[in-house]
């Protein structure tokens, strides 16, 4: 009897552990439960439409007015997978990592690190009042005297590859792994950026409305204990 109880307890433990480590969808395909929208143009004008809608089970960023849709929860040590495509004209958008204080840059962008989705630049880092280091920093960021995280400073860190994105209209997959103060980014399975010594190790996750309509058909998060190679 004792052995049976031990076996059942082990099976229950393994089942729970597996469930806890499985990817969880952050978007339910129906509404924005678990998210909130931060768009300055909507603050004092009820007639301004939200740039974020649900369409055919997808989360859609309509590009304007500019702003963010932000998770209610704070996350750390995770693997985030985002599947996206530009619905029409290619343009700009981004995945915001370790977000905290809202509207800290240009009265728009939350304190964070951005993994860029801009067409032909997917995987660039943008430092938004948070900072991160990469190898070959000077070659990829420019004059060290101008590095910074605020308005007018060199905040962009160029990605490692060219040609990792699919053609406009086709689906792309971005995977971001954040562990402690390290961040890795893949686009369509190509490692496109790797940063370390980040000034933040947790925060909210956000998607941008900024420049072009983008459809998101998958936004999932999975806890991790180590980074992928």
């Amino acid at each position: 009897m004792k052995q049976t109880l031990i076996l059942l307890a082990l099976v229950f433990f393994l089942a729970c552990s597996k469930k806890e480590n499985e990817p969880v969808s952050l978007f339910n395909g129906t509404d924005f439960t678990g998210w909130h929208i931060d768009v300055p143009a909507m603050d004092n004008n009820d007639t301004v439409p939200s740039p974020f809608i649900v369409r055919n089970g997808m989360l859609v960023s309509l590009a304007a007015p500019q702003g963010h849709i932000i998770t209610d929860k704070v996350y750390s040590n995770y693997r985030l997978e985002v599947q996206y495509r530009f619905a029409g004209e290619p343009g700009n958008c981004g995945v915001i990592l370790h977000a905290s204080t809202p509207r800290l840059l240009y009265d728009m962008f939350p304190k964070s690190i951005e993994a860029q989705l801009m067409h032909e630049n997917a995987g660039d880092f943008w430092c938004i009042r948070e900072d991160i280091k990469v190898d070959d920093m000077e070659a990829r960021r420019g004059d060290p005297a101008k590095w910074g995280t605020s308005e007018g400073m060199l905040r962009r860190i160029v990605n490692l590859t060219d040609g990792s994105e699919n053609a406009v209209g086709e689906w792309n997959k971005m995977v971001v792994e954040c562990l402690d103060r390290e961040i890795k980014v893949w686009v369509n399975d190509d490692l496109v950026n790797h940063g370390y010594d980040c000034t933040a190790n947790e925060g909210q996750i956000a998607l941008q409305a900024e420049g072009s309509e983008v459809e998101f058909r998958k936004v999932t998060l999975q806890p991790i204990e180590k980074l992928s190679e």
Side-chain angles (χ1 to χ4, degrees):
M1 181 65 178
K2 183 177 180 180
Q3 290 179 334
T4 301
L5 290 174
I6 292 174
L7 180 60
L8 288 173
L10 180 60
V11 170
F12 177 77
F13 172 77
L14 292 174
C16 291
S17 298
K18 183 179 180 181
K19 186 175 181 180
E20 288 176 357
N21 291 326
E22 289 179 350
V24 174
S25 180
L26 298 183
F27 171 60
N28 63 22
T30 302
D31 58 32
F32 293 138
T33 299
W35 301 76
H36 60 275
I37 292 171
D38 182 39
V39 176
M42 297 173 64
D43 283 353
N44 301 307
N45 190 340
D46 294 338
T47 66
V48 175
S50 172
F52 300 99
I53 64 171
V54 178
R55 184 173 67 206
N56 299 326
M58 297 180 294
L59 191 163
V60 182
S61 169
L62 297 175
Q66 292 189 357
H68 299 81
I69 185 167
I70 306 170
T71 60
D72 295 334
K73 292 183 178 179
V74 168
Y75 296 97
S76 62
N77 299 339
Y78 58 81
R79 181 183 193 269
L80 177 72
E81 180 177 336
V82 174
Q83 293 184 11
Y84 71 97
R85 69 178 178 186
F86 291 96
E89 293 296 320
N92 198 6
C93 195
V95 176
I96 302 297
L97 312 167
H98 300 333
S100 55
T101 308
R103 305 187 189 183
L104 199 58
L105 184 79
Y106 295 114
D107 297 321
M108 171 70 69
F109 303 92
K111 187 177 184 181
S112 60
I113 297 289
E114 176 184 351
Q116 179 68 272
L117 293 182
M118 184 177 185
H119 181 57
E120 298 185 343
N121 295 278
D124 290 356
F125 286 136
W126 279 86
C127 299
I128 305 173
R129 296 295 181 93
E130 298 284 9
D131 214 343
I132 196 167
K133 297 178 182 177
V134 299
D135 293 340
D136 302 320
M137 185 85 148
E138 189 167 343
R140 296 170 58 197
R141 193 168 182 173
D143 181 0
K146 299 179 181 179
W147 293 352
T149 66
S150 59
E151 294 88 338
M153 306 302 291
L154 293 180
R155 300 182 295 107
R156 180 191 182 194
I157 302 175
V158 178
N159 67 45
L160 296 167
T161 68
D162 292 317
S164 294
E165 298 170 56
N166 293 326
V168 174
E170 297 181 7
W171 289 102
N172 293 283
K173 179 177 72 172
M174 173 178 278
V175 171
V176 181
E177 290 187 353
C178 300
L179 185 72
D180 297 326
R181 298 189 181 274
E182 197 168 355
I183 300 175
K184 280 187 169 183
V185 183
W186 291 261
V187 173
N188 297 323
D189 299 320
D190 291 343
L191 179 65
V192 298
N193 224 329
H194 179 200
Y196 47 86
D197 292 344
C198 184
T199 53
N201 63 354
E202 66 175 15
Q204 295 157 299
I205 296 167
L207 303 173
Q208 289 184 328
E210 187 194 15
S212 189
E213 182 173 321
V214 182
E215 296 175 336
F216 296 90
R217 69 177 182 183
K218 184 176 184 179
V219 184
T220 61
L221 184 139
Q222 180 178 9
I224 60 171
E225 296 181 352
K226 64 178 182 179
L227 295 170
S228 300
E229 296 296 327

